[in-house]
Structure formats: structure tokens, C-alpha cells
Amino acid sequence: MTVLVSACLLGLNCKYTGGNNYSDKLAEYLKDKVVIAVCPEVMGGLPTPRVPSEIVDGIVMNRQGKSVDREFRLGTERIMQAIEQTKIDLAILQPRSPSCGVGKVYDGTFSGRLTDGMGIFAQRLQEAGIPAVTVEWLEDKKEGRENGNTPV
């Protein structure tokens, strides 16, 4: 099984803060899988750390009001090109992110509120028929819950 994973979840310091979102549960789940780590934001040329971004009216904007949509989309397309000959069975992504959010993303007000939606990369994966979930899926799976966090 080949799994595409948000690099921050594997401990790579590519999060906008300069840190990561390492997940022990994810590391355990991935032990017997082929893993491809990706960060669309870094692949698009954005630095780490960077100004936080959210999707505002369909465009990725940073908190300072600058569009970073081009970088998000460029990173997404670079990854899609890199994996086009690889069968990806599942993508496990960082929740709520403007690139990797699945089902819920921050609402564009930089207030911490969520709205229904998909990050730029997650949406592209869905269009390509690659099932994507957030890392929270592992907790739901472990607990036997179905909280709407099923592969889309």
C-alpha cells in the first residue's frame, strides 16, 4: 500500500510556524506502508516559517492580505506531476489546512472558525480519484467511529 502523507505529520518542520504536527499514531499506522511525504506549500516555493494563509473567496491569501494562491497551486501541480505514474492508495493529510484540509478548512477570516470545504491540494487529489482523509481518521478508525472522516 502506498500512502501520500502531509510531511508535517511525519515530523518535517514545514508547518507555517516552522514546526511540525508529528503524529505517533500515524507513524505506527505507516510502519508497513510505502510512504511519500509532501508539502504543497513548500513545493510551491513558500518559505518556512511563513505568514499563515487561509482560503478567502476561493483564493489563498496570507494574513497580511497577500495572495499566495499561485504558490499553493504550483506546489500542488508539482506533486501531482511527480506522482502521476504512482498508484496512491490513500492520502493522509493535515486537517483544516488551506492546502491539505479535507471536509473542513479555516473560513478565511483568520479567526479560527471552520467552514465546509477542501484545501487546494486535497481538492486536486479528489479530482484525481485519490482517496484523502485527515490524520484524525486514524483516531476515528481506532475508536470504531465514523465521524464523517472517511476517504473522499
Side-chain angles (χ1 to χ4, degrees):
M1 176 179 219
T2 301
V3 183
L4 194 67
V5 180
S6 294
C8 62
L9 296 171
L10 299 173
L12 279 76
N13 292 328
C14 57
K15 186 176 169 180
Y16 76 93
T17 61
N20 65 70
N21 296 311
Y22 179 77
S23 167
D24 287 321
K25 287 184 182 101
L26 178 60
E28 181 65 29
Y29 175 77
L30 294 172
K31 277 186 176 176
D32 61 347
K33 319 257 185 317
V34 174
V35 176
I36 301 172
V38 297
C39 179
E41 297 165 37
V42 171
M43 286 293 292
L46 292 173
T48 302
R50 58 190 163 274
V51 178
S53 300
E54 295 186 6
I55 300 171
V56 180
D57 296 325
I59 304 294
V60 185
M61 303 290 290
N62 73 20
R63 188 185 321 207
Q64 297 171 338
K66 178 184 177 208
S67 172
V68 289
D69 195 73
R70 184 181 86 63
E71 290 87 346
F72 273 66
R73 294 181 192 279
L74 177 62
T76 292
E77 289 312 312
R78 284 178 171 164
I79 293 168
M80 296 306 292
Q81 288 174 0
I83 65 169
E84 71 183 345
Q85 300 301 316
T86 305
K87 181 186 181 310
I88 305 295
D89 298 294
L90 180 65
I92 301 178
L93 306 175
Q94 171 62 27
R96 302 172 291 280
S97 158
S99 54
C100 295
V102 177
K104 296 275 184 190
V105 293
Y106 291 111
D107 72 357
T109 63
F110 297 92
S111 63
R113 288 192 305 249
L114 296 173
T115 189
D116 291 339
M118 301 285 281
I120 302 299
F121 181 57
Q123 179 68 43
R124 186 70 177 82
L125 289 172
Q126 184 180 42
E127 290 166 1
I130 298 171
V133 295
T134 67
V135 70
E136 294 163 339
W137 171 76
L138 291 174
E139 185 62 35
D140 293 345
K141 181 178 173 154
K142 181 180 175 195
E143 301 295 324
R145 293 189 300 247
E146 290 292 331
N147 278 340
N149 193 9
T150 55
V152 294

